[in-house]
Amino acid sequence: MPVLKHEQTTKKIAKLINEGYGQGEKENYKPFINTIRVSSSGRVSRVKGWITNRVHEFLSDSETRLFYIYEFLGSGKFLDIKEHYPLIEGMDKIVPNLDTELIKRLTNQKTGEPIILTTTFLLSEQTDNGDIRYFARSVKDYRQLENKQVIERYQIMQEYWNSKNVDYGIVTNKEIPLVLAKNIEFIHPFYNLEEYGIEDEMQSFLKERLVDMIGNGEDKPISEIQTSFDDEFNLEQGTAIAIYKHMIARKIVGVDMNKTISFKYPCHTVKIFSKNEVYRYDTYYKHANQI
C-alpha cells in the first residue's frame, strides 16, 4: 500500500475530498494520492495519457507498465482510466459485514483515525452493445502477497467492488508482459506529432508517403527507408522515426509487439492497414481485460 507522507486524519481526508481528489472524469479527475504527497519504495513517474488527455501519476514501474498496456490496447474502446481511486462512496454499507480483523485495516492502530484505501486502477469501457462496463485492478509486487495485512486490505477491496458489481483483481509484476509494456513506452510520446514540430497540414501527406515507402520496401530494413524519407523531403534526421512511432501508436501500421521494436527489421514485417480495417490487437486486448 502506498503511504501518505502525512498521516491521514478525518480533517485531512475531508480537505482532500473537498479539493476534488478522487473525483472527476477523464481530464478533470484528480488521483486521491499522488507522487507529491506519497512516499514510495518504487520509482514514481508521470505520464500524459492519450485517453484522458491528462497527466497520470504512478508510484512504481509496475503501475506505469500496466498503464501503458491499458492505454495502447484499450485506445478507442476505454472511456476513462483513473489511478489511485479511493474507496469512499458506499464503504459504510460494507463495513458492518466485515469481520473484526478486516475492520482494523480501516483504522490507524496508533491514532485511531480512519484510513482510506485506494485501488490502483478503475477503468471504464464501452461494450459492443453500448453499455458501460467498469473493472478495477490493484497492482502489487508478488512478494508482498505473503503479507497478511496486505491480503486483508485486498479482501476489503474485493468486498467493496463486489458490492458495486465491478470486476476486481490483483495484478502482480510477474503478470505484466514486459516486452509489450516497454514497446508501448517506446512509442507512447509520439501519439501526437504536433509536439515534434510536424504541422497538421503536412502530417497526412508525410504519413501516406512513409506508408507507401514501407509498403514497397520489401526486404529493405526499416532504417534504410527512414533515412531515404528524411533525405527526400530534406527533413531533420529522425523525423521519419517519429512518424513511424506515431503510426504504430495510432495503429496505422502494426508490428509484432511481442518482440522489441527495431528499425533493423525488413519492411515486409510491418503490417499496413486500410482505412476500413479494424486493428485493435484483439488477442492482447482480451488479455488486458484479464489482467
Side-chain angles (χ1 to χ4, degrees):
M1 292 292 168
V3 179
L4 289 176
K5 289 182 178 178
H6 305 290
E7 292 287 349
Q8 292 189 42
T9 65
T10 302
K11 183 177 180 180
K12 288 176 180 176
I13 290 172
K15 184 175 185 292
L16 291 174
I17 295 172
N18 187 56
E19 291 175 351
Y21 287 94
Q23 302 166 63
E25 304 294 328
K26 297 191 76 170
E27 66 270 19
N28 295 318
Y29 174 76
K30 298 172 69 174
F32 193 72
I33 55 180
N34 59 33
T35 58
I36 297 175
R37 294 183 292 109
V38 176
S39 60
S40 171
S41 58
R43 180 169 56 179
V44 300
S45 59
R46 305 175 82 244
V47 182
K48 178 71 176 292
W50 302 343
I51 295 172
T52 64
N53 196 35
R54 69 173 175 83
V55 175
H56 293 258
E57 304 189 42
F58 305 109
L59 305 176
S60 69
D61 284 341
S62 293
E63 290 183 5
T64 307
R65 287 167 182 164
L66 187 56
F67 170 76
Y68 280 133
I69 291 173
Y70 285 145
E71 179 105 303
F72 181 71
L73 303 183
S75 179
K77 191 159 186 175
F78 284 167
L79 302 175
D80 201 355
I81 301 177
K82 298 178 180 181
E83 74 274 22
H84 306 305
Y85 186 84
L87 279 58
I88 298 176
E89 183 181 355
M91 180 61 78
D92 58 326
K93 295 180 181 179
I94 74 162
V95 170
N97 300 321
L98 301 176
D99 62 39
T100 304
E101 288 302 313
L102 293 184
I103 292 175
K104 286 182 180 179
R105 298 297 158 223
L106 296 173
T107 305
N108 185 313
Q109 298 303 297
K110 293 182 179 179
T111 66
E113 291 282 357
I115 292 175
I116 300 298
L117 302 182
T118 59
T119 298
T120 312
F121 290 109
L122 175 62
L123 304 99
S124 58
E125 66 172 347
Q126 185 133 23
T127 62
D128 293 335
N129 61 10
D131 293 334
I132 296 178
R133 172 181 174 265
Y134 295 90
F135 64 101
R137 294 291 184 269
S138 291
V139 179
K140 204 69 179 172
D141 186 293
Y142 76 96
R143 291 165 296 189
Q144 292 179 299
L145 296 184
E146 298 176 0
N147 186 307
K148 180 183 177 182
Q149 294 183 4
V150 170
I151 292 300
E152 287 175 342
R153 287 190 177 184
Y154 283 127
Q155 287 177 325
I156 297 173
M157 293 190 196
Q158 184 73 69
E159 293 292 334
Y160 179 87
W161 290 117
N162 283 346
S163 72
K164 292 183 174 293
N165 295 316
V166 171
D167 182 74
Y168 173 73
I170 299 172
V171 181
T172 70
N173 50 312
K174 279 190 171 183
E175 298 170 282
I176 299 173
L178 186 58
V179 173
L180 174 61
K182 287 189 173 182
N183 277 338
I184 300 169
E185 181 181 11
F186 183 60
I187 64 171
H188 194 275
F190 297 87
Y191 192 78
N192 295 309
L193 286 175
E194 295 85 353
E195 299 176 12
Y196 295 88
I198 303 175
E199 298 178 358
D200 286 343
E201 56 269 23
M202 285 295 294
Q203 286 187 27
S204 295
F205 170 76
L206 292 176
K207 284 188 281 188
E208 287 177 8
R209 178 58 181 148
L210 185 55
V211 165
D212 183 60
M213 292 176 70
I214 292 173
N216 292 304
E218 297 296 336
D219 293 328
K220 291 181 180 178
I222 297 165
S223 59
E224 182 177 327
I225 298 297
Q226 291 168 338
T227 300
S228 299
F229 179 87
D230 289 342
D231 291 342
E232 178 179 335
F233 296 102
N234 195 28
L235 298 169
E236 181 180 348
Q237 289 297 309
T239 301
I241 293 176
I243 297 174
Y244 181 67
K245 291 181 180 180
H246 168 81
M247 292 194 300
I248 297 174
R250 292 279 185 167
K251 304 187 180 84
I252 297 170
V253 301
V255 298
D256 187 346
M257 298 294 277
N258 271 327
K259 297 179 180 179
T260 300
I261 294 175
S262 172
F263 306 133
K264 296 179 180 180
Y265 292 143
C267 290
H268 66 73
T269 62
V270 180
K271 172 70 175 177
I272 297 172
F273 296 92
S274 68
K275 292 182 179 179
N276 297 323
E277 194 168 3
V278 176
Y279 182 49
R280 290 203 316 260
Y281 288 91
D282 282 343
T283 300
Y284 290 124
Y285 180 77
K286 292 173 183 176
H287 181 60
N289 274 313
Q290 294 170 1
I291 63 173

